[in-house]
């Protein structure tokens, strides 16, 4: 099943996100639909960097559009599709000179689709595991539903009562007029007056009861109003705020929209009841009539509730984001961004009536360009909600004195300045006129892509700690984060990038590195400065830069391995050795490097000497440069070292704790085999070859010690005895295709330049082994980049 087919099967919430994704003009949904198989079969990420590949795919795309057009011609009912595809081809031809730009756009859409699928998969896992919201939250929602049901039932009863009151008044009026015109005896008139008095008493009693019922309904509405605005809406806004930084929270507005619509409709009904009372008083009143006295304060209560409800119902549904930005709430000048607002009161009569305008605060001077006014309408939402979707807004920096920095009381960096996108509209309906306004969460505005990392750090810190979206001066006195808050936020980042958060062991490892060993970390705190301003000891990068490098590595190259739990990730060196030395020969684990600024991953394995003593070996970390060329599963599959009798052996047998390597990673290996395998040409460079510089039975000890770290123990060829009972026979068994054997024989010939092949290996894929990194990065020297990037080639 293609990725596109999977998108079409998602639930409403996620299919709406896919619908919103293709609302723009950059990449038509119809092209995506009809060319789905071909589009997903191409390497658009490579094409975005390789102009020749981009040009080739561009031409094939145009050919596919022609082919699809021809199919539509044969299907005579597809006239509109014929027209559309002709127009799409003309639009795409604008990229004739820069086809890599189109490749970048298509790649971005595919990545966004995958993100939607990942979120939907996570939600399905949550549902499967029956992870429900807190019982208190469910109870509060049940209470809201119950009160709304009671309120609606009372409104229906009052509709009946107001009709009865009107009929009762009409009956009294008729009999009273008859009494005036009737020429009867005094005794008969006296009896008529007694009857009329009873009727007026009953009418007065009904009026008083009706007014009391309205007052009681307003008491119920007050409770509902408080629950909706002060609890449910506040909680939704906090969930939305956390979801902007990766929390897997439900931000659907379905319930709130239903609740707001129902209570507002009930309030408008009460307003109509009060207007009806005015009509009744206009027809007939009497001494001590309760309506003129009691109705005005009731009307004030109704109008106040209605006004507050309607003002609160105007919200930002989708926070500002750039199409290819780092995340929500990071905007770049002169780059388009989108944002969506919604009125939670669904009223068809106001469809396309209420105009929403956009502006930005004046903390720093910007011009907002694009379509600055849109009508709330029901066409841009799948469930018919009242939304205005601004898709093509742009911020342009106004240059002022001092280079355009704007007003900045303290020395805040550009990425610490917070701004709010504001929205205004006017609600006029059933005699009620209410100005409405709402604002986005604070955004960080940057001018170049190099600021994105720091800007995202600011977004993370603000939305982790500040529940008040109006506090745009937050970074003037930024508070510290407790470890539970910080750890949860970090876990969300890994969940967003790799579909799996941090487990307790990984969090504890990070906590120990930050604070040292503690009984509890709940009261430990980390400041904004420590997170994003001060370099880690003995490094030239901050804690956030290091963590962000790992997150990018996971997102781009390791998401599947991280998601399925193959990567242990964060583990101290001491614990790593302790775990591995208790396992059978060839057991290995994957962890992140502590010394690589832009993210690195390495693996360590345990080996046993003839006397049974274990030692742990570690390879130099692999970076994005390496993983662009060779996927990590293929590195693990093809990794070789030389053992006795010049036998090339992959020392990696079992992924910790005891999963056979091929079982853990086989599904990720390259599907190409034989001469088509892109890794065959690297087989020579993956081995430490036998050479005249080596003895007949062992590799030169000095050279080997520069390659392997043996935990302070001697590492010789016999550390990998073919007959060791701890080594799995399947692990030592190596099956090379004939071409690989030829390559190996050529590599081992005396005429071959061993130094050159090893250097080629070092310069190419960096699959060399070196010393392990130290354990600590805060309490100990930590984060030191051990070893020369090139292994010495002479003994």
């Amino acid at each position: 099943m293609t990725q596109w087919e999977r998108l079409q099967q998602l639930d409403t919430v996620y299919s709406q996100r896919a619908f919103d994704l293709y609302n723009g003009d950059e990449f038509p949904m119809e092209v995506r639909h009809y060319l789905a198989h071909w589009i997903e079969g191409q390497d658009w990420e490579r094409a975005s960097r390789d102009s020749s590949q981009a040009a080739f795919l561009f031409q094939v795309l145009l050919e596919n559009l022609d082919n699809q057009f021809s199919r539509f011609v044969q299907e005579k009912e597809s006239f509109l599709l014929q027209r559309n595809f002709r127009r799409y081809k003309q639009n795409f031809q604008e990229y004739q000179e820069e086809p890599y730009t189109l490749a970048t756009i298509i790649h971005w859409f595919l990545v966004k689709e995958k993100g939607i699928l990942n979120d939907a998969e996570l939600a399905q896992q949550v549902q499967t595991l029956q992870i429900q919201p807190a019982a208190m939250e469910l109870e509060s929602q049940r209470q809201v539903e119950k009160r709304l049901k009671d309120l609606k039932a009372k409104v229906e009863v009052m509709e009946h009562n107001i009709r009865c009151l009107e009929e009762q008044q009409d009956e009294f009026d008729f009999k009273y007029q008859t009494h005036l015109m009737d020429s009867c005896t005094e005794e008969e008139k006296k009896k008529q007056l007694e009857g009329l008095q009873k009727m007026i008493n009953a009418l007065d009693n009904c009026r008083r009861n009706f007014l009391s019922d309205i007052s009681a309904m307003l008491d119920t509405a007050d409770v509902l109003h408080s629950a909706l605005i002060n609890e449910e809406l506040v909680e939704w806004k906090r969930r939305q705020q956390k979801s902007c930084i990766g929390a897997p929270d439900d931000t659907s507005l379905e319930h709130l929209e239903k609740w707001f619509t129902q209570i507002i409709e009930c309030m408008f009904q009460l307003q109509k009841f009060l207007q009806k009372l005015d009509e009744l008083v206009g027809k007939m009143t009497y001494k001590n009539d309760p309506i003129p006295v009691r109705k005005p304060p009731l009307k004030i209560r109704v109008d106040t509730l209605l006004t507050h409800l309607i003002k609160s119902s105007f919200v930002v549904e989708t926070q500002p984001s750039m199409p290819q930005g780092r995340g929500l709430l990071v905007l770049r000048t002169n780059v388009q961004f989108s944002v969506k607002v919604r009125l939670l009161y669904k009223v068809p009569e106001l469809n396309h009536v209420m105009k929403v305008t956009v502006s930005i605060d004046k903390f720093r001077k910007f011009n907002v360009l694009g379509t600055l006014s849109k009508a709330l309408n029901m066409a841009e939402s799948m469930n018919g909600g009242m939304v205005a979707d601004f898709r093509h807004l742009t911020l342009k920096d106004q240059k002022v004195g001092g280079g355009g920095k704007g007003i900045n009381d303290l020395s805040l960096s550009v990425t610490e300045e917070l701004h709010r996108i504001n929205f205004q509209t006017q609600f006029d309906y059933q005699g009620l006129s209410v100005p409405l306004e709402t604002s986005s969460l604070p955004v960080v505005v940057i001018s170049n892509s190099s600021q994105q990392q720091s800007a995202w750090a600011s977004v993370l810190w603000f939305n982790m700690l500040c529940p008040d979206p109006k506090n745009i001066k937050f970074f003037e006195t930024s508070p510290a984060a407790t470890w539970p808050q910080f750890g949860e936020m970090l876990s969300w980042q890994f969940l967003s990038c790799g579909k799996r958060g941090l487990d307790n062991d990984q969090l504890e490892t990070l906590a120990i590195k930050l604070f040292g060993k503690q009984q509890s970390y709940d009261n430990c705190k980390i400041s904004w400065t420590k997170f994003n301003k001060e370099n880690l000891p003995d490094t030239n990068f901050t804690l956030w830069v290091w963590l962000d490098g790992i997150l990018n590595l996971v997102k781009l190259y390791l998401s599947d391995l991280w998601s399925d739990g193959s990567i242990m990730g964060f583990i101290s060196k001491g614990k790593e050795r302790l775990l591995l030395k208790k396992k059978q020969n060839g057991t290995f684990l994957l962890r992140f490097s502590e010394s690589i600024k832009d993210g690195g991953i390495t693996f360590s394995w345990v080996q046993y000497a003839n006397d049974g003593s274990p030692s742990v070996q570690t390879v130099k970390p692999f970076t994005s440069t390496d993983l662009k060329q060779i996927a990590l599963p293929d590195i693990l599959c093809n990794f070789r070292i030389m053992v006795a009798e010049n036998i090339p052996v992959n020392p990696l047998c079992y992924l910790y704790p005891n999963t056979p390597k091929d079982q853990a990673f086989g599904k990720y290996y390259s599907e190409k085999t034989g001469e088509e395998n892109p890794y065959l040409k690297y087989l020579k460079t993956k081995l430490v070859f036998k050479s005249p510089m080596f003895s007949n039975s062992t590799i030169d000890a000095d050279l080997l010690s520069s390659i392997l770290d043996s935990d302070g123990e001697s590492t010789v060829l016999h550390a990998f005895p073919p007959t060791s009972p701890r080594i799995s026979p399947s692990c030592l068994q190596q099956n090379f295709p004939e071409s690989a054997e030829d390559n190996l024989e050529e590599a081992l010939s005396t005429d071959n330049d061993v130094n050159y092949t090893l250097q080629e290996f070092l310069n190419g894929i960096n699959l060399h082994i070196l010393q392990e990194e130290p354990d600590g990065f805060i309490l100990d020297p930590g984060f030191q980049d051990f070893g020369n990037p090139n292994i010495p080639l002479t003994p």
Side-chain angles (χ1 to χ4, degrees), residues 133 137 197 203 221 299 305 358 535 701:
E137 181 181 342
Q197 186 63 51
L203 181 63
K299 185 178 187 308
L305 274 172
V358 186
N535 287 340

Side-chain angles (χ1 to χ4, degrees), residues 519-571:
Q519 285 293 107
S520 171
Y521 299 94
D522 290 351
N523 295 323
C524 294
K525 293 186 176 181
I526 181 170
S527 68
W528 167 242
T529 300
K530 291 286 187 183
F531 175 60
N532 191 46
K533 290 191 174 183
E534 292 181 355
N535 287 340
L536 292 163
D538 302 317
T539 73
N540 62 350
F541 49 86
T542 65
L543 173 62
W544 167 240
V545 168
W546 174 66
L547 289 168
D548 192 47
I550 292 173
L551 287 166
N552 282 327
L553 200 70
V554 169
K555 182 177 181 179
L556 295 175
Y557 305 107
L558 305 172
S559 60
D560 289 335
L561 299 185
W562 177 257
S563 176
D564 68 17
S566 297
I567 299 173
M568 190 168 290
F570 298 103
I571 179 173

Side-chain angles (χ1 to χ4, degrees), residues 332-334 359-369 394-408 414 417-421 443 445-447 472:
R332 182 176 171 184
T333 53
N334 303 315
S359 62
I360 191 169
D361 61 52
K362 302 301 181 184
F363 180 66
R364 182 170 159 210
K365 294 183 180 297
F366 294 101
N367 288 325
V368 185
L369 308 178
T394 306
L395 295 178
K396 185 175 180 61
D397 206 343
Q398 290 184 12
K399 296 300 179 181
V400 297
K405 183 81 185 267
I407 302 171
N408 195 343
V414 169
E417 292 181 1
L418 302 177
H419 311 271
R420 302 177 74 204
I421 311 296
V443 299
V445 182
I446 60 177
S447 56
I472 61 174

